[in-house]
Amino acid sequence: MPEQAIEQRLQELGIKLPVASEPAAKYANCVNVNGLLFVSGKGPAGKPKGKLGQDFTTEEGYAFARLTGIEILAVLKSELGSLDRVKRVVKIQGFVNADPQFEEHHKVLNGCSDLLLEVFGDRGMHARSVFGAVSVRDNLPLIVDSIFEIVD
């Protein structure tokens, strides 16, 4: 992709990245190992609280996952200087704070997956896992951690 292609794509999508969030405890936002950037778990901006299937619908969860994807992009931009350094989205893993009867975890995490595909195109196709959680930190509706292949 040409220089600044991802920044232009964000503008086309109407996405303005926030300031990257800081870690919630004693860990790094990102760790680079041999060209793979591991991004620590992030949640949606605004820090909504509650469980999917109890406090929030699947559609609201999808929107929270999309907001979480934007948080991840902000962390990447802060760490890398340019999102054009992302060669490929390798994997995302979602932990959905859900009522025990909730069964649409995969539909919730689609909010993040769809965003990454919109932003990175073919480079955004990734492996993925999603799990229901009894609880997550700060009672967030979900947390997503991610892995990206990057170039210097």
Side-chain angles (χ1 to χ4, degrees):
M1 284 190 153
E3 189 65 31
Q4 300 302 315
I6 299 301
E7 298 294 328
Q8 291 171 0
R9 184 71 187 132
L10 289 174
Q11 287 180 352
E12 291 168 8
L13 293 168
I15 297 171
K16 184 173 179 358
L17 296 181
V19 173
S21 59
E22 294 295 323
K26 293 183 180 180
Y27 56 86
N29 250 348
C30 303
V31 174
N32 182 348
V33 178
N34 299 324
L36 291 178
L37 191 66
F38 294 78
V39 180
S40 294
K42 293 293 172 187
K47 300 190 188 277
K49 294 181 182 291
K51 290 186 176 291
L52 274 291
Q54 181 178 314
D55 304 304
F56 301 114
T57 65
T58 300
E59 293 75 22
E60 289 171 312
Y62 178 97
F64 292 143
R66 185 174 179 89
L67 287 172
T68 301
I70 292 170
E71 283 287 312
I72 292 167
L73 293 176
V75 169
L76 287 171
K77 168 99 177 173
S78 175
E79 180 73 16
L80 301 173
S82 170
L83 293 174
D84 292 313
R85 290 188 54 204
V86 173
K87 184 174 180 181
R88 170 151 198 160
V89 181
V90 177
K91 183 171 183 177
I92 65 171
Q93 184 167 256
F95 300 89
V96 178
N97 186 7
D99 179 271
Q101 305 307 313
F102 187 74
E103 297 181 348
E104 296 187 321
H105 307 78
H106 60 294
K107 292 180 181 178
V108 168
L109 196 55
N110 281 346
C112 186
S113 291
D114 289 348
L115 173 76
L116 294 172
L117 287 166
E118 289 171 21
V119 170
F120 292 109
D122 291 342
R123 296 184 297 165
M125 183 54 71
H126 52 273
R128 178 176 112 161
S129 303
V130 63
F131 305 94
V134 173
S135 67
V136 300
R137 73 171 163 81
D138 299 327
N139 198 29
L140 293 170
L142 81 154
I143 292 178
V144 178
D145 63 296
S146 48
I147 305 169
F148 297 83
E149 182 181 11
I150 59 170
V151 294
D152 288 329

